[in-house]
Amino acid sequence: MDLTQEILALKRTRNAVILAHNYQTGDIQDVADFVGDSLGLAYQAKSTAADVIVFCGVHFMAETAKIVNPGKIVVLPDADAGCSLEASCPAPDLAAYLAANAAKNYYVIAYINCSGAVKALSDVICTSGNAVKIVNQAPPERPILFVPDANLGAWVMEQTGRKMDLWQGSCYVHVEFTRDSINRIKADHPGALVVAHPECTHAVRLLADEVCSTEKMIAYCRTAPVRDIIVVTESGMLHRLRKECPDKNLIAGPTDRCACADCRYMKLNTLQKLRDCLADLHPRVEMEEGLRAKAELPLLRMLEQSR
Ligand code: 13P
Ligand code: SF4
């Protein structure tokens, strides 16, 4: 039996569902039940009838699945798959900041790329796919603190006109794209459109024809009136886009150092580790119940507000 067949057989025995983020390698995406962005995967995790959720993405994504499914087993192929955004906002630092600024009575909006402990300190969660919608529903009389991604936060401010205080975190992958690297690839492909993720810097977003979440990139590329499209996000996205939009020429956005950008955390997962975690039901995501219940409230608020 090859690895893929073994995974499919184990999946049936375990009554498991395999969820994969758009940044996973092609072989993992091809064996998954659902491939999507953070928002789509959060909905899938909430509605699944499976006993076991195998989350092929990074740790905070698997943890999110556990928060909304305390009774299920949630495993991920590599427990070390972290995220630079999550690391940029340790919960004790956020708690200390909120305590020092208690008089402001902040309404805290946390991008889903953060730990469960940060979620537990927040009023509502958002993803890049619904951030504009969530910010538009924030109580108008309360100042907003947006954590942890300053680039996404700045983009949402531009879209909504709502002022927010921004935690100074960033995605180490998306800040590698520069104005020069994108201008160079644009010069190589005159007439190409540019689609970029909102975690990119302001200078790069200014060069984009569209700024959106990974899932929205699919609809954008499918309906774009041109064949050449430069995709400024993590390289895994290209596999999904090429499958969904076979008539388009999808060009990876380069950085100053590389022809495309890989997230080293997303790429820790492999087909072999996916097989192993299904066979061993390990590594598992576990959460202390008090913390989980606190983190669930802002997540459920997000799911409600983004319908
Ligand atoms: P999406 O919500 O667009 O899937 O993005 C998640 C992410 O980690 C981007 O770097
Ligand atoms: Fe985190 Fe960036 Fe990797 Fe997404 S691409 S998981 S934001 S480090």
Side-chain angles (χ1 to χ4, degrees):
M1 238 197 292
D2 74 6
L3 260 184
T4 300
Q5 285 174 325
E6 229 183 303
I7 288 166
L8 294 175
L10 277 165
K11 197 181 74 160
R12 277 191 295 276
T13 322
R14 300 290 193 204
N15 187 27
V17 65
I18 302 177
L19 307 181
H21 188 265
N22 287 321
Y23 294 164
Q24 292 296 282
T25 51
D27 53 1
I28 292 181
Q29 290 191 28
D30 292 346
V31 82
D33 295 294
F34 299 100
V35 183
D37 67 354
S38 310
L39 181 60
L41 294 173
Y43 276 116
Q44 291 296 343
K46 179 84 185 102
S47 63
T48 184
D51 297 319
V52 175
I53 299 174
V54 182
F55 211 115
C56 301
V58 291
H59 186 272
F60 77 79
M61 295 178 175
E63 190 178 55
T64 302
K66 182 68 182 177
I67 291 168
V68 295
N69 286 294
K72 294 190 194 295
I73 294 174
V74 179
V75 292
L76 70 167
D78 193 313
D80 291 331
C83 169
S84 69
L85 274 169
E86 175 178 356
S88 71
C89 187
D93 293 11
L94 176 59
Y97 184 84
L98 291 174
N101 292 279
K104 289 199 170 157
N105 190 24
Y106 272 125
Y107 186 75
V108 181
I109 303 183
Y111 185 31
I112 199 163
N113 295 39
C114 64
S115 66
V118 165
K119 289 182 176 76
L121 291 169
S122 304
D123 291 289
V124 67
I125 308 303
C126 72
T127 71
S128 57
N130 64 15
V132 168
K133 223 176 186 178
I134 298 293
V135 169
N136 276 332
Q137 293 175 73
E141 70 286 1
R142 303 232 344 240
I144 298 175
L145 175 65
F146 188 90
V147 304
D149 189 358
N151 286 308
L152 175 68
W155 176 73
V156 175
M157 282 206 279
E158 291 159 20
Q159 301 299 303
T160 60
R162 180 91 192 248
K163 195 191 161 314
M164 305 191 290
D165 289 337
L166 305 178
W167 195 268
Q168 293 302 306
S170 63
C171 161
Y172 92 97
V173 180
H174 285 87
V175 297
E176 284 272 298
F177 300 110
T178 67
R179 190 174 53 182
D180 287 353
S181 71
I182 301 307
N183 269 331
R184 272 196 299 273
I185 192 91
K186 271 170 73 105
D188 290 346
H189 300 275
L193 290 175
V194 177
V195 61
H197 197 276
E199 289 172 11
C200 293
T201 63
H202 183 64
V204 167
R205 294 198 308 271
L206 281 177
L207 296 174
D209 297 285
E210 178 69 359
V211 176
C212 60
S213 74
T214 57
E215 199 61 24
K216 290 183 182 170
M217 286 182 182
I218 293 163
Y220 179 78
C221 292
R222 198 178 278 141
T223 56
V226 300
R227 207 174 107 74
D228 291 352
I229 305 167
I230 299 165
V231 181
V232 189
T233 193
E234 208 270 351
S235 65
M237 193 65 217
L238 274 292
H239 178 80
R240 175 92 196 277
L241 280 172
R242 285 180 179 137
K243 255 176 121 167
E244 304 261 358
C245 313
D247 56 329
K248 294 289 157 63
N249 179 31
L250 299 154
I251 304 150
T255 68
D256 285 332
R257 293 180 297 116
C258 296
C260 65
D262 284 333
C263 171
R264 65 171 174 267
Y265 304 112
M266 286 280 180
K267 271 26 188 205
L268 282 175
N269 296 331
T270 62
L271 211 54
Q272 179 68 50
K273 290 184 201 172
L274 167 54
R275 190 217 76 97
D276 293 348
C277 79
L278 255 171
D280 306 340
L281 294 181
H282 178 86
R284 279 188 205 196
V285 180
E286 305 285 4
M287 261 187 114
E288 187 272 314
E289 177 52 25
L291 180 65
R292 188 209 63 79
K294 273 194 202 136
E296 187 177 25
L297 290 173
L299 262 170
L300 295 182
R301 189 170 289 145
M302 171 190 84
L303 294 177
E304 190 55 40
Q305 290 187 0
S306 64
R307 277 184 198 286

